């Protein structure tokens, strides 16, 4: 039987994977625009290979999250959410240092909050499962 925590956890992880998948595709389709959305901009389209490298790693994260969600490994997903907080913190700092609009920096803060909420929901799901 699924608990409320596990249902909410599945939804949060699904959203996380969906957003990461979108970012992965977007980084390949339009690297210049993607860089701006993330809070930095490329001064030359020749630098877009770095954005595509980011995209390949984001796609990897998407596939891992999708698999862990498929097998319902809430414990590992819980730790992924917590350790994933490193990324929006770093992205937010980089965006701020690059002079990105305040809304972009806030988006990174919101991502960090989302990941922390996911961590606590998944932790509750793991505890209910025990």
């Amino acid at each position: 039987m699924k608990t409320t925590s596990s249902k909410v956890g599945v939804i949060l992880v699904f959203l996380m994977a969906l957003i990461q998948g979108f970012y992965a595709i977007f980084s390949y389709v339009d690297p210049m625009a993607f860089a701006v959305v993330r809070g930095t901009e490329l001064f030359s389209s020749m630098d877009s290979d770095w954005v595509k490298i980011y995209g390949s790693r984001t796609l990897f994260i998407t596939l891992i999250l999708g698999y862990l969600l498929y097998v319902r490994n809430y414990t590992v997903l819980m730790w992924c959410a917590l350790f994933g907080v490193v990324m929006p913190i770093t992205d937010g700092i980089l965006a701020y240092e690059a002079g990105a609009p305040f809304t972009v920096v806030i988006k990174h803060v919101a991502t960090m909050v989302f990941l922390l909420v996911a961590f606590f929901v998944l932790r509750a799901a793991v505890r209910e499962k025990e």
Side-chain angles (χ1 to χ4, degrees):
M1 179 170 69
K2 280 192 169 183
T3 64
T4 302
S5 295
S6 64
K7 288 177 187 175
V8 172
V10 166
I11 291 168
L12 291 175
V13 172
F14 181 75
L15 288 173
M16 204 182 320
L18 194 63
I19 291 167
Q20 291 298 311
F22 170 76
Y23 279 155
I25 293 167
F26 186 24
S27 70
Y28 280 101
V29 172
D30 193 347
M32 298 288 280
F34 177 79
V36 171
V37 167
R38 297 299 296 161
T40 58
E41 64 182 272
L42 300 177
F43 294 107
S44 168
S45 61
M46 293 173 53
D47 295 331
S48 66
D49 57 338
W50 287 105
V51 176
K52 292 176 182 177
I53 290 169
Y54 174 92
S56 71
R57 280 143 179 81
T58 302
L59 182 58
F60 172 75
I61 291 168
T62 302
L63 295 172
I64 293 294
L65 291 175
Y67 173 75
L68 292 170
L69 187 60
Y70 176 74
V71 297
R72 301 289 196 251
N73 192 330
Y74 299 134
T75 302
V76 175
L77 286 167
M78 173 186 78
W79 292 113
C80 285
L82 182 63
F83 297 154
V85 168
V86 169
M87 291 181 285
I89 290 172
T90 304
D91 290 351
I93 291 169
L94 291 172
Y96 176 78
E97 289 175 348
F102 185 68
T103 54
V104 172
V105 176
I106 289 298
K107 181 182 69 159
H108 293 300
V109 172
T111 301
M112 182 187 70
V113 170
F114 177 89
L115 288 169
L116 289 172
V117 168
F119 168 76
F120 287 112
V121 168
L122 289 164
R123 186 175 77 167
V126 167
R127 287 186 176 168
E128 289 171 355
K129 198 174 176 182
E130 293 175 347

